[in-house]
Amino acid sequence: MLAVQDVRLDPSTRRVWRGDREIRLSRKEFQLLHALMARPGDIVTRGELMADVWQTSFYTNSKTIDVHLGWLRRKLGDDPRNPTLITTHRGRGLRFETSADTVAS
């Protein structure tokens, strides 16, 4: 079981909770969240996410990661204008924050 902030993820059952509420995720949303939560506090590059989640080293300007990230943030209740769970670090990647008071750089 992975637990960061108030999000819990169980890789064996593929279940996710935010607080007491279970959240249903698609396969790719779950894999994206798992890839980020497995490295809390670390910036994960888009290339690493493409390899881990989409099993490809081919990365284009497509918005695949951004679209899935948008759906994931919405389901988690993470405001994209002021995220406290998953922050975007321009030119570097994404990070699952270890505390809600971290500000994106």
Side-chain angles (χ1 to χ4, degrees):
M1 178 79 70
L2 297 176
V4 184
Q5 292 194 52
D6 65 344
V7 179
R8 291 177 295 131
L9 180 146
D10 186 343
S12 63
T13 62
R14 299 183 49 82
R15 294 173 71 190
V16 174
W17 297 264
R18 173 113 197 239
D20 292 333
R21 182 176 60 100
E22 186 169 359
I23 300 169
R24 294 187 180 265
L25 300 178
S26 72
R27 179 180 306 271
K28 291 300 181 193
E29 290 164 350
F30 181 89
Q31 291 172 327
L32 178 58
L33 181 60
H34 185 252
L36 293 168
M37 285 185 70
R39 295 173 53 189
D42 291 344
I43 293 176
V44 182
T45 69
R46 289 176 178 271
E48 290 169 326
L49 291 172
M50 289 302 292
D52 292 348
V53 178
W54 283 272
Q55 286 78 47
T56 182
S57 60
F58 182 72
Y59 179 69
T60 66
N61 284 337
S62 75
K63 297 294 182 178
T64 301
I65 292 173
D66 295 329
V67 168
H68 284 84
L69 178 62
W71 293 334
L72 182 58
R73 279 183 172 148
R74 193 171 311 119
K75 289 181 179 182
L76 291 172
D78 197 21
D79 181 359
R81 288 163 293 172
N82 188 27
T84 59
L85 295 175
I86 303 168
T87 56
T88 300
H89 298 265
R90 299 219 183 275
R92 297 171 62 203
L94 302 170
R95 176 168 60 200
F96 199 98
E97 299 296 343
T98 57
S99 67
D101 50 59
T102 305
V103 178
S105 57

